[in-house]
Amino acid sequence: MTYVLFRHRDIPDIDQLDVYMKHGGFEAFNKVVTTMKPEEVVEEVFKSGLRGRGGAGFPTGLKWRFIDKNNWPHYVVANADESEPGTFKDREIMERNPFQFYEGVMICAYAVQANDAYNYMRGEFWELAHVLDGKLAELEQAGLLGDNLFGTDFSLRMYNHLGAGAYICGEETALLESLEGKLGQPRLRPPFPPSFGLYGKPTIVNNVETLTNVPMIIAKGADWYRTIGTERSTGPKIFSLCGNVEKPGNYELPLGTTFRELIFEHGGGIPGERKIKAIMPAGASSAIIVANDEALDTPMDYESVPNVGSMLGSASVIVIDASVSIDWLVKKTLHFFKHESCGKCTPCREGTYWMTHLIDRIEAGSEGYEQIGLLYDVARNIEGKCLCALGEFSIQAVVTGIDRFPDDWKAKAKNGVKREMDAVAV
Amino acid sequence: MNNLLEKYNDEVQTILNKYPDDQKRSAVMPLLYVAQREKMYVSQEDMAEVAEIIGVTPTEVASIIGFYSLYYDKPGAKFRIQVCTDLPCALRGADQLMEELCHKLKLDPHFGVTTEDDKVTVEAVMCLAACDKAPMFQLQSGDGIFYHENQTVESAMELVEELRHTP
């Protein structure tokens, strides 16, 4: 196939500005600035059906339409805080095809008439950030960033900004707080960033992968883009595949590709003679899917994955084989969310703390089944009570792990106090 | 006198220029990386200097250091080996790597612990977005953060020895 996002896999040196330019680089940006009205750019992206690739799947063009035109200045912020366990796609884009990503940011900035754009990267991308600072300098030298671009009155400056280790900053309002120099804690919404964003000004926050789609949509048109993927989930998607799989890595495939094709054709299947047991399609925050034939034949798009009880999210597919006990997996995810809870909302802060205590007791085998019931109960009481999705994410593996894999918990409790599994709310 | 400003004036100005004139607070995180560069922690004096540059209180700067995991407010090892042991890495042997590495260094794998010579800390950290290249860790020092992917206990030990002999 011809890559749309991972074009470095076809053109290895595309991270060099001259090579990117030789392959049509910044022609789309030139085209929008010199020949299109901002609203026309927004409508083209809307028509393409592009949806946010960070996890929420919100229509990108619709988000851009929401920008408040009665309040200025506007900002564009790229969300490069990639921190979900299982997700490693934005890093490859920025490392290998950085100019296409930047061109996407620049087209977005023109579409919403922002003169300043920030790329908020997680602090651990320190090496990459230094490479990207060099790329921005090249863009300035080439006259692609700065004042009066292409002889028009449109000006644009762009900056990289490094975070410092906080998963929560991938949540867009927490990211904006962090960029303002504050604790990365989510804001109450509404208002949403397109009306009240960075420094209280209208702001578009988009994921790196989302923005990387944009230059190709402008260059080849929304109609071409809609030929990839499904009717409602258009375009290509990068699937980060990891866990118990032969060939982990990033795979760019059309939305609507089945789990089976990704895991067994592209990913080479499960190592050894072991059987596939479960799938987490959206990283550590996913509801766990039982990997039966129905699930494996489910197309990975925003509409279909909920049919098997989960979400596509950022498409970070973690494959779990039969050697893994789900209670151990839940322990891993809980310790993550407990560490990453920002502490703002009590149900999440206290709930993740107590859930880790409970799972540790269960894992130690020193307690009975009632602890499993209590864990389930605490999880259910976090649901729907937090400002952002982190609280919600933290309970997905717990609830679905107990509901869908009861045998794993029975086996665990066998080693502990003898109780009846019936006592558990499963 | 503001040592940070005196010593790194050009760098500080470059950082400040990224943000609007009335929003200098945005510079707190990049400035803390500068403040942490030499000693691998941010002292009370550094906090006061960063606070002065961006016009906030030292307490507000301290709260940033406390919230974000890549800043330190106490002296510690010069080098930190931060092993990702989250779910995807654990499925590819990260817990074993962590345990064996700590065993070889006579450290307890359940805590962030430091070698006898105070040079190197080995600690488990949260997801580093390199799940397909696990086991992996990052090396954090005042000079920055560097990824080491597809690691073995042997390759990690080699690095530790090298770091212990780094002046």
Side-chain angles (χ1 to χ4, degrees):
Chain A
M1 70 174 273
T2 308
Y3 288 100
V4 176
L5 305 168
F6 278 169
R7 283 166 70 213
H8 56 275
R9 294 190 178 179
D10 290 326
I11 311 158
D13 296 331
I14 203 161
D15 63 333
Q16 302 301 311
L17 184 56
D18 55 334
V19 177
Y20 183 67
M21 301 278 282
K22 212 166 73 191
H23 289 88
F26 296 103
E27 281 173 16
F29 181 54
N30 185 322
K31 177 178 158 189
V32 298
V33 174
T34 57
T35 70
M36 290 172 81
K37 291 190 188 123
E39 301 77 41
E40 290 171 342
V41 182
V42 174
E43 288 319 300
E44 192 67 16
V45 171
F46 181 79
K47 248 173 59 189
S48 74
L50 172 64
R51 295 168 67 171
R53 300 296 197 239
F58 190 81
T60 306
L62 189 58
K63 192 187 254 187
W64 294 9
R65 271 189 193 167
F66 287 154
I67 194 98
D68 182 354
K69 291 186 182 135
N70 297 312
N71 190 2
W72 298 87
H74 294 172
Y75 292 102
V76 169
V77 177
N79 185 344
D81 193 61
E82 183 163 66
S83 306
E84 176 73 39
T87 313
F88 42 90
K89 62 191 178 64
D90 297 338
R91 186 175 150 219
E92 181 168 344
I93 292 175
M94 291 186 290
E95 278 178 354
R96 306 294 310 279
N97 191 11
F99 290 116
Q100 187 173 327
F101 156 57
Y102 277 148
E103 187 175 2
V105 179
M106 291 152 74
I107 293 170
C108 174
Y110 177 77
V112 300
Q113 291 292 291
N115 301 119
D116 292 284
Y118 292 92
N119 177 30
Y120 184 104
M121 308 171 73
R122 62 178 299 176
E124 291 83 352
F125 289 169
W126 190 93
E127 276 179 283
L128 175 57
H130 285 74
V131 174
L132 290 181
D133 278 346
K135 303 290 182 201
L136 285 185
E138 283 180 53
L139 290 178
E140 283 165 21
Q141 269 170 6
L144 291 160
L145 287 174
D147 291 331
N148 303 109
L149 298 169
F150 310 115
T152 69
D153 55 7
F154 180 66
S155 303
L156 177 61
R157 284 159 299 273
M158 197 167 7
Y159 314 93
N160 294 312
H161 180 101
L162 266 185
Y167 168 77
I168 189 60
C169 292
E171 194 283 333
E172 61 178 6
T173 60
L175 183 154
L176 294 172
E177 288 286 300
S178 178
L179 184 49
E180 290 180 3
K182 300 168 189 162
L183 304 188
Q185 294 183 316
R187 296 173 180 169
L188 181 66
R189 292 168 298 172
F192 291 92
S195 48
F196 187 95
L198 183 62
Y199 310 129
K201 297 297 177 187
T203 303
I204 296 298
V205 185
N206 275 145
N207 168 260
V208 171
E209 184 187 347
T210 312
L211 291 162
T212 306
N213 278 276
V214 172
M216 301 298 270
I217 292 171
I218 298 299
K220 297 189 173 187
D223 292 334
W224 162 81
Y225 191 80
R226 294 193 73 94
T227 63
I228 308 168
T230 72
E231 175 73 29
R232 289 174 62 201
S233 296
T234 60
K237 177 82 191 80
I238 298 167
F239 296 92
S240 295
L241 180 66
C242 69
N244 298 131
V245 63
E246 201 65 62
K247 290 186 279 182
N250 285 315
Y251 295 91
E252 179 183 325
L253 299 165
L255 278 164
T257 304
T258 63
F259 284 108
R260 194 186 297 281
E261 182 184 331
L262 173 70
I263 296 167
F264 290 94
E265 276 180 44
H266 302 285
I270 315 299
E273 297 291 297
R274 297 195 298 269
K275 278 211 163 91
I276 186 168
K277 174 175 180 172
I279 303 169
M280 297 184 87
S285 56
S286 350
I288 313 168
I289 301 175
V290 180
N292 53 22
D293 281 341
E294 186 202 351
L296 288 170
D297 290 323
T298 299
M300 294 183 288
D301 57 47
Y302 297 105
E303 288 73 42
S304 305
V305 182
N307 294 339
V308 284
S310 195
M311 300 261 287
L312 180 66
S314 55
S316 330
V317 180
I318 306 177
V319 180
I320 319 290
D321 74 23
S323 69
V324 176
S325 189
I326 297 298
D327 55 292
W328 171 84
L329 179 153
V330 168
K331 183 177 97 170
K332 279 287 177 190
T333 63
L334 277 178
H335 278 269
F336 174 77
F337 288 112
K338 181 220 163 203
H339 186 271
E340 299 299 345
S341 174
C342 79
K344 185 166 183 166
C345 308
T346 310
C348 174
R349 182 187 66 239
E350 299 297 316
T352 53
Y353 172 84
W354 281 108
M355 287 195 296
T356 55
H357 275 263
L358 287 165
I359 193 75
D360 285 349
R361 284 185 211 165
I362 293 164
E363 286 296 284
S366 57
E367 306 274 348
Y369 291 126
E370 73 277 6
Q371 298 291 329
I372 302 170
L374 186 56
L375 172 65
Y376 193 88
D377 191 43
V378 173
R380 280 291 187 206
N381 276 293
I382 295 170
E383 206 171 359
K385 296 192 180 69
C386 305
L387 280 181
C388 84
L390 194 148
E392 221 68 32
F393 290 165
S394 74
I395 69 161
Q396 295 301 321
V398 179
V399 172
T400 56
I402 295 174
D403 277 343
R404 299 173 187 176
F405 300 90
D407 292 346
D408 291 35
W409 302 83
K410 277 180 198 162
K412 179 56 68 178
K414 240 183 232 163
N415 303 326
V417 182
K418 281 182 189 157
R419 300 273 171 143
E420 286 307 312
M421 190 63 184
D422 303 343
V424 185
V426 291
Chain B
M1 197 182 87
N2 193 309
N3 277 319
L4 201 62
L5 208 49
E6 203 115 305
K7 197 159 180 188
Y8 297 106
N9 189 45
D10 289 354
E11 198 174 348
V12 171
Q13 296 311 326
T14 305
I15 291 169
L16 291 173
N17 284 338
K18 289 167 135 184
Y19 311 98
D21 288 336
D22 56 347
Q23 303 290 350
K24 292 308 173 201
R25 183 177 180 148
S26 280
V28 66
M29 290 167 78
L31 289 177
L32 282 174
Y33 282 118
V34 178
Q36 189 168 264
R37 189 178 297 158
E38 281 169 39
K39 303 185 295 280
M40 213 12 211
Y41 81 102
V42 186
S43 67
Q44 297 281 333
E45 293 74 35
D46 298 328
M47 287 181 212
E49 289 176 3
V50 170
E52 189 187 3
I53 294 171
I54 58 173
V56 301
T57 65
T59 312
E60 285 171 294
V61 175
S63 74
I64 296 291
I65 296 170
F67 187 87
Y68 295 97
S69 64
L70 293 173
Y71 301 125
Y72 308 93
D73 61 0
K74 289 181 190 65
K78 197 173 166 194
F79 301 103
R80 304 182 85 99
I81 289 185
Q82 301 171 323
V83 184
C84 174
T85 56
D86 260 320
L87 176 63
C89 281
L91 290 170
R92 294 175 61 81
D95 284 334
Q96 288 88 322
L97 178 106
M98 179 73 186
E99 267 179 41
E100 285 174 38
L101 183 61
C102 287
H103 181 74
K104 287 210 165 174
L105 293 166
K106 301 188 175 62
L107 304 173
D108 184 338
H110 299 292
F111 300 95
V113 275
T114 305
T115 53
E116 276 173 2
D117 53 9
D118 285 339
K119 274 277 181 67
V120 184
T121 288
V122 179
E123 57 194 342
V125 295
M126 298 297 142
C127 185
L128 298 174
C131 322
D132 57 334
K133 300 186 183 71
M136 62 82 60
F137 55 80
Q138 64 182 9
L139 171 64
Q140 187 186 11
S141 71
D143 296 330
I145 298 165
F146 302 90
Y147 275 30
H148 294 260
E149 300 175 317
N150 296 315
Q151 291 292 299
T152 60
V153 180
E154 291 70 37
S155 63
M157 277 302 289
E158 230 169 82
L159 179 70
V160 171
E161 287 311 316
E162 192 189 314
L163 295 173
R164 290 173 105 169
H165 292 96
T166 305

